[in-house]
Amino acid sequence: PLQQPTTAFDIPFELEKCVKQFQTHYHEKHSGRRLFWLHHVSKGDIRTNYLPRRYELQVTTYQMALLLQFNNADTLGMEDLQSSTQLSKDELRRMMASLLRAKIVLSLPPLPSNGNTVNTPQRFALNYKFSSKRTRIKITAAVQTDSPQESEATHRGVEEDRQIQIQAAIVRVMKTRRQLTHTKLVEQVISQLQSRFQPQIPLIKKCIEQLIEREYIARKADFR
């Protein structure tokens, strides 16, 4: 399963229109489904317009959000960037370190040649002397490993989301069929959800019992 984000994040103004358009399209095509944005694993391309030569940068959404802040200011500090993006301090340092390594952004004052540690008092500016033989450049960020607690929270979140989807499928099936044997109900739920994930039978049974307890559906003693 995909990891859940570990930081808050505000979509940059430049991307808001695209996000809203896709949300509208998605909900028109998939009524009743929930849409989650996993910005920490999304990427995009951004073009430079401030250098003699135009470059196309392949960046993560977090890196893109940080670079777009320089459309409105020549220099920015860590507090400015955190306020505008809402990224956690650790994630912000990681993203800025990657931009410094790529020399797209400069530190003010300049960092020592043997390091790229990002500290809170620093300020940053675009590198107007940036140059590369390639016009298409991929900026990589350091891989962040999840702690055991974060991994557990991720798996728990996935499990809870799947339970919600299974319960919704059970209710849809019963509204249509009115009466079903337990075996047929399980088969119908698997058929509905297998294009998204493979629901486990024990989890389906657990969800059926939960819905019976909440009186969404009822068990008939003479119908099995």
Side-chain angles (χ1 to χ4, degrees):
L2 292 174
Q3 298 174 346
Q4 298 297 305
T6 58
T7 176
F9 177 60
D10 276 358
I11 292 287
F13 170 77
E14 292 86 346
L15 300 182
E16 283 183 355
K17 184 177 179 181
C18 294
V19 169
K20 289 178 180 177
Q21 286 178 338
F22 182 81
Q23 286 175 333
T24 300
H25 169 75
Y26 183 87
H27 291 306
E28 287 175 352
K29 295 291 184 181
H30 306 287
S31 177
R33 292 188 189 178
R34 293 195 301 170
L35 179 64
F36 294 95
W37 290 96
L38 301 179
H39 297 295
H40 62 300
V41 294
S42 60
K43 300 177 181 180
D45 294 345
I46 191 169
R47 291 189 181 92
T48 63
N49 291 313
Y50 59 94
L51 297 166
R53 188 181 186 187
R54 180 170 292 188
Y55 297 95
E56 191 168 294
L57 309 178
Q58 297 175 285
V59 293
T60 68
T61 301
Y62 291 167
Q63 290 169 333
M64 182 183 294
L66 293 169
L67 288 173
L68 288 172
Q69 304 309 311
F70 291 96
N71 281 338
N72 305 310
D74 292 330
T75 67
L76 290 165
M78 288 288 284
E79 291 183 357
D80 302 321
L81 293 168
Q82 188 170 23
S83 174
S84 57
T85 63
Q86 293 301 303
L87 290 171
S88 66
K89 289 183 179 179
D90 287 343
E91 193 65 38
L92 179 56
R93 287 192 185 100
R94 195 167 72 93
M95 292 298 113
M96 291 308 298
S98 67
L99 296 174
L100 288 168
R101 277 198 306 272
K103 299 182 180 180
I104 299 296
V105 169
L106 298 176
S107 173
L108 305 173
L111 289 171
S113 58
N114 61 347
N116 54 15
T117 303
V118 177
N119 297 310
T120 302
Q122 284 176 272
R123 294 190 68 79
F124 306 95
L126 292 176
N127 180 7
Y128 284 86
K129 294 182 179 179
F130 176 82
S131 178
S132 174
K133 294 180 179 179
R134 294 175 296 165
T135 58
R136 187 171 175 83
I137 302 165
K138 182 177 181 179
I139 303 177
T140 57
V143 176
Q144 183 179 17
T145 57
D146 282 351
S147 67
Q149 294 82 1
E150 290 171 334
S151 295
E152 182 181 347
T154 298
H155 288 297
R156 187 166 57 247
V158 171
E159 185 81 1
E160 290 172 355
D161 183 60
R162 288 185 173 180
Q163 283 195 46
I164 292 171
Q165 292 188 58
I166 290 171
Q167 290 175 355
I170 292 169
V171 172
R172 285 196 301 271
V173 170
M174 293 308 299
K175 279 184 175 180
T176 303
R177 303 296 295 272
R178 313 302 290 180
Q179 286 190 151
L180 271 180
T181 64
H182 187 278
T183 302
K184 289 293 184 184
L185 176 56
V186 171
E187 290 175 355
Q188 290 288 317
V189 170
I190 292 174
S191 176
Q192 281 203 14
L193 296 176
Q194 62 186 357
S195 62
R196 302 181 214 175
F197 64 94
Q198 188 63 40
Q200 300 300 310
I201 292 177
L203 185 56
I204 297 174
K205 291 180 177 179
K206 178 181 177 181
C207 291
I208 291 173
E209 293 301 324
Q210 289 173 340
L211 291 172
I212 290 173
E213 289 176 8
R214 291 155 57 190
E215 299 183 350
Y216 279 88
I217 59 177
R219 180 181 286 113
K220 292 187 68 175
D222 60 341
F223 190 83
R224 293 182 177 277

